[in-house]
Amino acid sequence: MRFFNFLYLAAACSAFSPISVTTKQKARIQGTALQAKRDPLRMPTETPMVPYKPPGSDYAQFIDINSRMYRDRIMMINQYIDENAANEIISIMLYLRKEDSAGPVTFYFNVPGAQLRPALAVYDLIVQFRQSCEITTVNLGLCTGMGALLCGAGTKGRRCAMPNSRFLLQRTGMETPFQGQATDIALEVKNMKIMNDNMEKELSKMTGQTQEKNRR
């Protein structure tokens, strides 16, 4: 009986004994810790998620931060505006107008550039919005080409720029190569010139300056 008690006590002691770590395992653990110290901190690659509590609900749900901003009628435009980007911006604006046609809308711009025709479509819609609600525009960093025109399309007195932001005016419209007959190319260049002239006229209305002064 004493012999079996001794075996039971020995087994219990071995179960709580510290786990032995080999030299190779120690080196692997130390290498992982060293690599973790060397790796720089990175922002999440995916769109950040934030909590949102729908009206009348007792529980909050996580949605992407852009959708959360849309619910507050805030739009962040921080990419090159091509056909796809313009269509997305227009669809969101139409939805906001359907929800509340008189509610103010805020645009934050950090646009490296824009194609002429898609940006003009966004501009026309902003001008329509301006007739029924206040449009606030803010230049966060850089507004190039048509991006400068869009940032200046807000309601007078509601157009802002950060202290270190910059506007870069330039003629646009020939971002992509155009091929065809000589007459077609000449017609396309003529249309681009007309659109750029119209853009300069709109800038003159916004700023109250002459076209010649804006060209400088």
Side-chain angles (χ1 to χ4, degrees), residues 5-6 17 27 37 47 50 72 88 92 138-139 171 204:
N5 291 337
F6 174 77
S17 61
K37 292 181 180 179
T47 304
V50 295
D72 292 333
E88 182 178 354
I92 296 172
V138 182
N139 181 359
R171 284 183 170 265
S204 296

Side-chain angles (χ1 to χ4, degrees), residues 148-200:
L149 179 69
L150 295 177
C151 191
T155 303
K156 189 174 181 179
R158 307 288 298 179
R159 297 172 291 195
C160 312
M162 300 299 286
N164 294 315
S165 61
R166 184 183 179 190
F167 292 92
L168 180 59
L169 299 178
Q170 61 184 13
R171 284 183 170 265
T172 59
M174 302 298 290
E175 295 85 2
T176 57
F178 183 79
Q179 299 179 354
Q181 300 292 330
T183 54
D184 296 334
I185 296 176
L187 182 61
E188 183 69 14
V189 172
K190 182 180 179 181
N191 292 333
M192 293 299 105
K193 185 179 183 305
I194 293 174
M195 291 182 181
N196 278 279
D197 291 341
N198 292 334
M199 182 185 71
E200 291 183 358

Side-chain angles (χ1 to χ4, degrees), residues 77 81 107 109 111-127 130 135-139 142-155 159-160 166-172 194-207 214:
I77 303 176
I81 301 177
F107 292 87
F109 290 94
V111 181
Q115 293 183 7
L116 182 59
R117 288 188 174 91
L120 284 176
V122 177
Y123 174 78
D124 291 338
L125 190 57
I126 292 178
V127 172
R130 206 170 56 194
I135 301 294
T136 302
T137 56
V138 182
N139 181 359
L142 176 65
C143 287
T144 304
M146 293 298 296
L149 179 69
L150 295 177
C151 191
T155 303
R159 297 172 291 195
C160 312
R166 184 183 179 190
F167 292 92
L168 180 59
L169 299 178
Q170 61 184 13
R171 284 183 170 265
T172 59
I194 293 174
M195 291 182 181
N196 278 279
D197 291 341
N198 292 334
M199 182 185 71
E200 291 183 358
K201 292 179 183 178
E202 294 296 328
L203 284 172
S204 296
K205 294 179 183 178
M206 295 176 187
T207 60
N214 286 332

